[in-house]
Amino acid sequence: MSKKITLFTLQSFSTTGGIQKMTRTLGYSLYRIALRNNWNFKMISGYDSDQHLMPQYLPAEAFEGYNADRFKFVIKALQLAYDSDIVILTHINLSLVGLLLKLINPKCQVWLVAHGIEVWRPLGFFKKALLKRCDKIICVSNFTKQQMISWHKVNKDVCTVLNNVVDPFMTFPVSFEKPHHLLNKYHLTGDEPIIFTLTRLAVTEQYKGHEQVIIAINKLKTTFPDIKYILSGKYDADEEIRIRELIKANNAEEQVILTGFIDEKELSDHFLLADLFVLPSKKEGFGIVFIEALACGLPVICGNADGSIDAIRNGELGTAIDVNDLRQLEEAIAENLQVPLSIKKREHLQRQCLLQFNELDYRNNLQRLLNDGANG
């Protein structure tokens, strides 16, 4: 029996972030599943336009973008309500769409993807109502699953964990030399121990932990006098001022390199440039950036009290620390840097990461969920 599956997303192709990357991979996997099973699949985006589609993920006939036209987006959702067997919502902010679908077609299964901080808190009326009516809640980490149960008392049998995976179109290094163009760009010799952080830098989101790394650098430079800290990510004006003041207060002007936004095409090269990836965040739903770093053979340090634990497989692939303990952060960084990062270790990390977080396994797990949904 042919199934009709619709994926609703807010934004996937016109901007870059963890949720957007996850949604692209989800769309790609669903499309491949639909092809294999002769099912119908459509991806509908509220804020992307048709022109934003990246064709390597799915063809134009499987995608519709509504370019922030909310009225047309909702009308399309209502039309599809009569014609969909399974609808997957990629964000809790699509709760009204999900409720309308259930109202029009109670037999249509409505699934929700739960990421991180957007569901780790009290929710409004429509969002709580959606959680009560969801047929399945896909949690990107075990931590998020526990938060959903704790905060919102959702039925644990409705929740299932499906970890994020490395983007199937990410370019993985096959050799592990530090890129010469980046050494030149940042005026480095290649002999310096280099720490790297990539994250969204916003004055309203002070939970990523880069402040702790800047503070730690002031002490670490005594042991590692050539140490460099490359801090990357798009920042707003207020956050830039705050970060530069913090760098100055910690006498780290010679150590910290603030790059701003990095294009995705340059991402793998920055992971190759570094000796250690550090993001001691408090509120990662999963942390796709950790597995991206590992897929490039780069060791990682993350926090121990959020979804990051899933990304390092409970310590198997990386180091988790108490992000509020500055001494623990310093010791973890020093321990990693004291032993030079070998090509053999990089190859091992890459191999283990891709073994655990690859799109093919993700697709097969998703296929099982869809089969269970059809029988449920």
Side-chain angles (χ1 to χ4, degrees), residues 211-227:
E211 305 98 327
Q212 295 286 77
V213 184
I214 292 171
I215 296 169
I217 288 291
N218 193 22
K219 293 187 177 180
L220 286 164
K221 68 184 182 183
T222 302
T223 307
F224 305 96
D226 297 325
I227 194 170

Side-chain angles (χ1 to χ4, degrees), residues 273-288:
L273 179 67
D275 299 288
L276 181 64
F277 183 83
V278 185
L279 183 63
S281 176
K282 299 178 181 179
K283 297 180 180 180
E284 296 298 313
F286 174 83
I288 285 179

